Amino acid sequence: MRHDDLAETDCGIAQALSVVGDWQTLLVVRESAAGVTRFDALQRELGISRRALAEKLARLVEQGILQRRAYSDRPPRYDYVLTSMGEGLLPVLLALQDFGTRHVMGDGSASAAPAGLEVQRLERLVGTRLPSLELAGHDGESVALPGDQPTVLFFFPAAWPPHANGYPPGWGDIPGARGCTLECLSFAKAHDDFVAAGVRVVGVSSQRPDQQAAFAAHAVLPYQLASDQDGRAATALRLPVFRASGGEWLKRVTILTNHDGVVQHLQAPITDPRGSVQELLALVRPGTR
C-alpha cells in the first residue's frame, strides 16, 4: 500500500502507518536501532522467513527509513542502518514499549522501577556488547559509548536543581521515581574511587543537555551526564521507560561494562541507590573482583 492509496490523506497517523506497514516492520526498525544491521543477524533475531525479511528491508529502504551500506563487494553484502528519517520513529518505539509494559503486561500504573519481564529482558544484556552510540554531554562534549575503558552507565529518570521546579506533577508518587539526586551524589562521592580503579562514570537521563548542565552545576558533579532525549540509548538497549506529564523517562538501571564494552554486571531494580554504588565499587576495586 502506498501513501497515496489511503483515503485519509490528511491524517498523519494513517500516512505513517502506510510507511511502516506492519508490526514486524517496526521490529526491523527496533533491531536496526540496536545495532543489528546485517541480514542474517536480523533474521536470527526476528525469526521470520528470508523472503519476508528481504521484502521488508527493500520497502524500508524505498521509503527512506533505512539505507544500505555495503560492507562486501563479492558477494554483495549490506548493513541496513537507520536514516535521519528512520530515527524519527524512535519515540514511537519508546511509546509502544511503555504502552505494552504498562497496559498489556501490567495493570496500567506508572512505575520508575523495572520489574518482572522488564528485568528478564535487561538481564539478557549481560555478556553482550553495547552498540556504538554517541550522546550529547551536559558539558557540550559528546559522550561515546561504549568507549575504550570500563564504564559505569547509570540510567535514571531525571534530576533538577531546587530552583528549577522541573519535576512533573505527582512525580514523588510514582514508585521508584524519587532518589535521582541521591544516586547522582552517591556516584559523585565515590567518583575518585572509580577513577582509581580505571572506571569511567556516566549518568544518562532523557533530559535535555541544558537541564542536565543546570543540575550538574548545582550538585558539582565530577562526571558527565549524557542526554538520551531522542531515545537512542533507550531504543538500542531496549531499556524500560515510563510516561509521565507528556514525556518518556528512563527507569532506574545501572550497567557495568569492561574495556571492550561488554556488559559485565547489571543492577535492576534499584531500591537503594547509595547501596548500589557501594556494590559496584566492590566489583571494580582491584583485589575484590
Side-chain angles (χ1 to χ4, degrees):
M1 180 183 294
R2 302 187 307 275
H3 67 84
D4 53 1
D5 294 328
L6 291 169
E8 297 184 71
T9 56
D10 59 346
C11 176
I13 295 175
Q15 295 300 312
L17 289 174
S18 75
V19 172
V20 173
D22 56 30
W23 64 270
Q24 287 182 328
T25 302
L26 268 179
L27 294 185
V28 172
V29 175
R30 181 196 71 186
E31 294 304 322
S32 180
V36 182
T37 59
R38 297 188 176 179
F39 190 96
D40 289 342
L42 284 166
Q43 191 196 18
R44 284 195 303 271
E45 291 295 327
L46 298 172
I48 61 178
S49 71
R50 297 180 70 85
R51 177 178 178 180
L53 178 58
E55 291 174 352
K56 295 180 187 304
L57 289 172
R59 177 180 177 80
L60 287 169
V61 170
E62 178 186 358
Q63 297 285 2
I65 302 299
L66 297 179
Q67 59 180 315
R68 299 197 309 176
R69 292 181 182 171
Y71 68 87
S72 172
D73 293 328
R74 297 183 180 179
R77 295 286 186 269
Y78 302 94
D79 283 309
Y80 292 87
V81 298
L82 286 178
T83 63
S84 57
M85 178 179 175
E87 290 174 350
L89 286 169
L90 299 186
V92 177
L93 294 176
L94 291 181
L96 285 171
Q97 179 169 290
D98 174 61
F99 175 82
T101 301
R102 183 184 303 191
H103 298 288
V104 180
M105 298 186 294
D107 60 6
S109 60
S111 174
L117 294 176
E118 288 179 311
V119 174
Q120 292 180 31
R121 185 177 74 238
L122 287 166
E123 288 174 345
R124 291 197 289 270
L125 288 173
V126 177
T128 66
R129 188 179 190 276
L130 295 184
S132 296
L133 295 167
E134 190 167 303
L135 305 179
H138 81 273
D139 54 1
E141 301 293 329
S142 62
V143 181
L145 301 177
D148 57 0
Q149 67 180 111
T151 301
V152 167
L153 288 173
F154 71 98
F155 300 91
F156 64 98
W160 283 272
H163 64 273
N165 297 319
Y167 291 102
W171 185 263
D173 297 326
I174 300 173
R178 301 183 68 173
C180 296
T181 297
L182 174 61
E183 185 174 31
C184 291
L185 291 177
S186 296
F187 274 110
K189 184 176 181 180
H191 187 252
D192 287 347
D193 292 324
F194 281 109
V195 171
V199 178
R200 176 178 65 154
V201 175
V202 178
V204 185
S205 74
S206 59
Q207 295 169 276
R208 300 191 312 266
D210 63 297
Q211 294 173 324
Q212 293 180 331
F215 176 74
H218 162 74
V220 195
L221 299 183
Y223 53 83
Q224 278 186 304
L225 296 179
S227 172
D228 193 35
Q229 62 178 338
D230 57 4
R232 288 174 181 267
T235 306
L237 299 175
R238 296 178 63 188
L239 297 173
V241 298
F242 68 101
R243 189 169 182 81
S245 298
E248 268 85 32
W249 313 93
L250 292 165
K251 295 189 179 184
R252 200 180 311 281
V253 176
T254 298
I255 292 173
L256 172 64
T257 68
N258 64 13
H259 64 281
D260 291 322
V262 176
V263 178
Q264 301 292 293
H265 184 72
L266 183 141
Q267 294 175 324
I270 297 172
T271 57
D272 177 9
R274 185 182 289 112
S276 70
V277 173
Q278 294 305 311
E279 176 189 330
L280 287 169
L281 271 178
L283 287 172
V284 303
R285 279 172 170 158
T288 62
R289 299 180 189 180

